[in-house]
Amino acid sequence: MKILKPTPESFQEAVTILQNRGIVAVPTETVYGLAADATHDEALKKIYKAKNRPATNPLIIHLPEDWKSLKKLEQMGWTDLKPIPKELYQQLDLLAQKFWPGPLSLILPKGEKASGIASAGLPTLAFRVPDHPVFQELLKGFSSPLAAPSANKANSISPTTAADVKSELENDVQLCLDGGACQVGVESTIVGVSLDRKGLQVFRYGGLSHQVLENFLQAKLQSPPQNKTLAPGMMKKHYAPKKGLTLLAPEANQGQIDELLSTPHIGLLIFKEGEVNQVDVQNQKSGAKVRTISDAWDGQFSCSKLYETLREMDSDTSLEKLYVWPKNIKEQSLWATLLDRLSRAAQS
Ligand code: TXA
Ligand code: MG
C-alpha cells in the first residue's frame, strides 16, 4: 500500500482507481474510510473482500458538501422520501442542515441509484457528508457519492491515521491518501426513523453526542436497538484489540484495582489522571502499566485518543492483558459512545 500526501497528482491517481472500480483509503474527520463507487456492485464487492466483512453489514454513503438537503438526495435518485412520516422527515432534514458536514449518518429509504450491495439488500441506506477537505476534494474529482466503511479488517480497531490503515490493510489496498490524524477519532453517530416509526432513534452512538441532537430537536431519541437482527452490522464484538480486553465495572473497588496494579504484564487504561491513586501508581514495582487518556473530563478528547491508545497498548509487547476502568465515565460528554466502544472491544 502506498501512502500519499494530498496533491493534485495523488487525487488524480485516487480518482482513476475509483473510476476503474477500485478501492482507496481516505481520511474523514471520524476515522479513515475505504472508499468505492457507491453505484457499482463490482467496486463495492472489493470493499467487503478487503475487509473480510460479512455481506449482511451495510455501508455508509458519503456525499459532497453541497448535498446537505434531503430533497437534493431525492432529486439525484439516492433516496425516496415518501415513506417517511412528514414530521420525522422534517426532523431528519433539520439534522442534515445543522450537522452536515459532520459526524452524523442518517438512515433513509434507499433510492434506485445506490447499489443493493451497499445497503446489504436492505430497503434503507445510511448517508453522511464527511467534514474533511481530503474526502471532499476526492468527491469533487469523482463527481459521484462514495460508499466507505472504516478502513480496518472486520471487528478490528478503526484506523485514525494512515499508518493504522497500512497496519490493517497493507496487502489489500493500493493507495491511502494521508490527511493526518482524525480529529473526532470515533465513528459517526447513526440516526434514523425508529423501528416503531413513532420518532427518531439512535442506531449507533458516535462522535456527535445524542444529547446535543436531542437538545437541538427538543425531542427524545430512542436508544439503539438491543436485538442484533434489528440493527444490521451492529456486531457485539467490534473494535477489539488482539490481546484480551477486560472492561471493569465503573464502581470497581480500590482493592481490586490495587491487585491489578501489582500484577506484571497488565495494561490498565483509565480516562482521567488521578482516578487511580498516584501513590498507588508510584508504589508499583514491577506491576501494571497505567495509561491515562486525559487530564480533564473531556469526552471529545477521550474519543479522539481512544483507538490510538488501544492500538498502542495492543502493540506493546511487554503487556499480555488489557483492562479498562471507566470510573466516573458519566462525567464525560460522550460517555455513551465511549462505553459502547469499550463494551464491544471487550467482547471475547
Ligand atoms: O464515521 C463513520 O461512520 C465511518 C467513516 C468512514 O465515515 N464509517 C463507518 O462505517 O463507521 P462502518 O461500515 O464501519 O459502519 C457502518 C455501520 C454498519 O455497521 C451498520 O451498523 C450501520 O452503519 N448501517 C449502515 N446502513 C444501515 C442501515 N440501512 N440500517 C441500519 N444500520 C445501518
Ligand atoms: Mg467499522
Side-chain angles (χ1 to χ4, degrees):
M1 189 179 90
K2 240 184 348 189
I3 296 178
L4 294 179
K5 293 275 178 224
T7 61
E9 293 73 32
S10 62
F11 276 117
Q12 190 46 54
E13 190 172 337
V15 168
T16 305
I17 294 174
L18 294 169
Q19 285 168 341
N20 291 326
R21 296 165 195 168
I23 52 180
V24 177
V26 205
T28 83
E29 78 282 30
T30 58
V31 299
Y32 274 70
L34 187 56
D37 184 344
T39 65
H40 216 287
D41 290 0
E42 196 192 318
L44 296 170
K45 281 183 187 160
K46 289 183 186 157
I47 289 183
Y48 284 88
K49 181 158 184 262
K51 281 180 60 81
N52 244 331
R53 182 179 178 105
T56 50
N57 191 353
L59 307 175
I60 297 174
I61 310 301
H62 292 65
L63 308 167
E65 55 199 344
D66 54 347
W67 286 34
K68 279 175 51 152
S69 101
L70 301 191
K71 274 273 171 282
K72 167 95 178 183
L73 260 180
E74 188 173 47
Q75 278 161 11
M76 303 298 281
W78 287 85
T79 186
D80 167 15
L81 299 167
K82 283 188 291 302
I84 306 182
K86 186 157 172 260
E87 197 191 306
L88 301 184
Y89 159 71
Q90 281 165 347
Q91 289 191 341
L92 288 165
D93 203 38
L94 281 173
L95 291 178
Q97 304 288 334
K98 171 77 179 169
F99 296 105
W100 281 354
L104 174 70
S105 296
L106 298 177
I107 297 177
L108 301 172
K110 177 185 168 302
E112 79 278 1
K113 268 275 179 133
S115 150
I117 305 259
S119 64
L122 294 172
T124 54
L125 193 56
F127 296 93
R128 86 180 190 95
V129 178
D131 188 12
H132 198 291
V134 174
F135 208 124
Q136 285 300 334
E137 191 64 28
L138 188 63
L139 282 164
K140 226 185 255 170
F142 187 62
S143 316
S144 183
L146 292 166
S150 50
N152 51 280
K153 289 283 182 191
N155 297 344
S156 154
I157 305 173
S158 299
T160 55
T161 63
D164 294 348
V165 177
K166 195 173 166 97
S167 75
E168 289 283 327
L169 297 170
E170 160 115 62
N171 300 317
D172 308 279
V173 180
Q174 217 178 311
L175 173 63
C176 176
L177 293 176
D178 187 353
C182 301
Q183 299 280 308
V184 175
V186 291
E187 298 80 354
S188 60
T189 301
I190 304 180
V191 172
V193 173
S194 65
L195 299 166
D196 62 14
R197 302 185 63 75
K198 288 188 183 153
L200 298 186
Q201 181 161 20
V202 178
F203 285 84
R204 175 177 75 184
Y205 290 122
L208 188 57
S209 150
H210 65 287
Q211 285 123 326
V212 168
L213 299 177
E214 288 181 340
N215 288 343
F216 171 71
L217 291 174
Q218 291 291 300
K220 270 264 169 235
L221 299 176
Q222 290 186 34
S223 309
Q226 296 302 311
N227 182 341
K228 184 177 143 191
T229 55
L230 294 177
M234 290 303 284
M235 313 303 176
K236 256 195 158 170
K237 178 174 173 176
H238 208 145
Y239 320 107
K242 294 183 183 67
K243 291 171 188 159
L245 178 86
T246 303
L247 181 58
L248 301 168
E251 62 278 4
N253 65 42
Q254 195 60 47
Q256 240 179 310
I257 302 301
D258 287 344
E259 197 179 317
L260 276 181
L261 286 176
S262 62
T263 313
H265 310 303
I266 275 185
L268 174 63
L269 175 63
I270 55 172
F271 281 90
K272 183 174 170 286
E273 208 166 277
E275 290 301 290
V276 168
N277 203 324
Q278 285 308 308
V279 182
D280 296 337
V281 176
Q282 278 154 17
N283 282 345
Q284 295 176 243
K285 292 198 180 69
S286 54
K289 263 194 199 170
V290 180
R291 280 295 313 260
T292 314
I293 286 200
S294 173
D295 58 6
W297 285 123
D298 181 340
Q300 212 84 55
F301 185 78
S302 294
C303 281
S304 74
K305 294 287 169 200
L306 179 68
Y307 292 156
E308 179 190 320
T309 311
L310 287 177
R311 263 179 201 278
E312 268 172 33
M313 294 174 82
D314 208 17
S315 58
D316 183 336
T317 50
S318 74
L319 302 178
E320 282 166 9
K321 283 177 94 177
L322 309 181
Y323 286 78
V324 188
W325 190 23
K327 189 187 178 195
N328 293 338
I329 196 160
K330 290 199 174 174
E331 305 284 328
Q332 306 252 26
S333 53
L334 286 160
W335 62 268
T337 304
L338 290 164
L339 270 187
D340 172 80
R341 299 304 189 269
L342 290 175
S343 60
R344 287 177 210 283
Q347 295 286 329
S348 52

